[in-house]
Amino acid sequence: MDPLTLLREYTIRNELHKIVRIGDDYRFGNDYSFPCTIETAYRSKHVQANRYTLETLINFITNHHLKHTDYIQQSRSLRIPAVTLPDRKPLLDYLTGKTASSDSIEFLKFPQPNETTVPVSVSAASLGNDENFLTDVRVLENRNPIELIRAVEKPLKDRESILMCKNRDFYSVFTAALRRDEERQRAESLQRKYGLVAKNRIERGGFGGGDELGYDGGPKAKMHLKGSKIGEGVPIILVPSAFSTLITIYNVKEFLEDGFFIPTDVKLKQMKGTKPDCITVQKKFSRDRVVTAYEVRDKPSALKAEDWDRVVAVFVLGKEWQFKDWPFKNHVEIFNKIVGFFLRFEDDSVESAKTAKQWNVKIISISKNKRHQDRAAALEVWEKLEEFMRSRSH
């Protein structure tokens, strides 16, 4: 296969990306390989009638969109001879298939059927040297075309070279895979451990009664809340029991753990059994190996006096009556000791958040339809909550 014809075929098929330069050769897919400096059949009409080399043509066709001055500078920087300005358009038309031929093309003359051909051998050593290689190609002119093709082509690989797998260290790949698997198993083991600790504490009601493990799996945690006594045990997040709010005890787990909002009415249809009194949530989408567990409840009236010292967050309705019978003077004291969140749809009216804007709460908006944005909203909740926990732990 002539390199000029092959380059034209790749250009017309829009497969120039399959032509890769490796060392001093250009590889056309897995089929052909030619030296970069091999002369093609396309002659310049204006530069001493020289033939353009393959690297000149490839560099031109991949950069023909550049202005000629920019193209010249680019070619000089790569030390590749450039196509002259008068040759640009006819060459581009030929390579892109707009014209079928050009008077600038002079293919090597092949013998006629009645001519006698003399086989010419090309040594492997000459193939490794561009100058010797080009000399051998010129010697093959007017000879057997099959010998010419074989002289120009280079085999890329065969069955034996593939099986040899040179420069491949499979042992390092194997050990790296083992390390990743061990790290994954350790992380999963830690998550199971911390999750079970938090679950057992909730089931036993062990908030300060002889259990020496805290919610993070370490020594018992103690939270210092401003203006209150020390609270011990799994921290509590309160959510409204009314269905008029976006976050309830039915859908809070999917939102905080998975970063996905499911409307309460949809979640109700999916659930089986009675409504839970409390659930446990953890921040799963985190790089931290220590997973913090939180208890979520929606009945503040069922909390004992010591339980209120563990309340760290609340999702608000935006109504004053939500805080009726709470052990605080007013909402100012509430949001000084508890971090508040108000979740709303981004296209809701301003009136829906009018009251919440007067309180010291974090207002977070989510889309009604774009569920891929829920994760960012859930992360806002976790970041604010963790910031609050750090400030109260000192």
Side-chain angles (χ1 to χ4, degrees), residues 158-170:
D158 54 22
R159 290 182 302 173
E160 294 183 1
S161 63
I162 292 176
L163 293 175
M164 287 296 292
C165 297
K166 294 182 179 180
N167 301 322
R168 295 292 188 273
D169 183 4
F170 290 104

Side-chain angles (χ1 to χ4, degrees), residues 238 300-301 308 311 313-314 321-329 334-335 338:
L238 294 176
S301 58
W308 279 101
V311 176
V314 58
W321 54 261
Q322 180 183 3
F323 309 113
K324 184 180 179 181
D325 299 327
W326 282 35
F328 302 100
K329 296 179 182 179
I334 291 174
F335 299 120
I338 300 172

Side-chain angles (χ1 to χ4, degrees), residues 124-159:
S126 68
L127 293 177
N129 184 286
D130 289 342
E131 184 177 351
N132 293 338
F133 176 81
L134 293 176
T135 301
D136 289 332
V137 171
R138 295 188 184 99
V139 170
L140 285 171
E141 191 170 347
N142 298 325
R143 299 300 181 183
N144 191 322
I146 301 300
E147 294 177 0
L148 174 63
I149 293 173
R150 288 177 177 173
V152 174
E153 294 179 354
K154 289 183 180 180
L156 299 181
K157 51 192 174 183
D158 54 22
R159 290 182 302 173

Side-chain angles (χ1 to χ4, degrees), residues 5 21 24 31 36 61 63 73-74 89 105 111 214 225 229-230 237 318 321 337 347 367 369 392:
T5 305
R21 179 166 183 163
D24 295 328
D31 300 324
C36 298
I61 196 62
N63 295 282
Q73 292 179 358
Q74 184 264 357
K89 188 177 187 309
I105 299 175
L225 303 184
K229 61 184 181 181
I230 296 174
I237 300 174
W321 54 261
K337 298 179 179 179
D347 54 353
S367 172
N369 303 312
R392 295 299 184 264

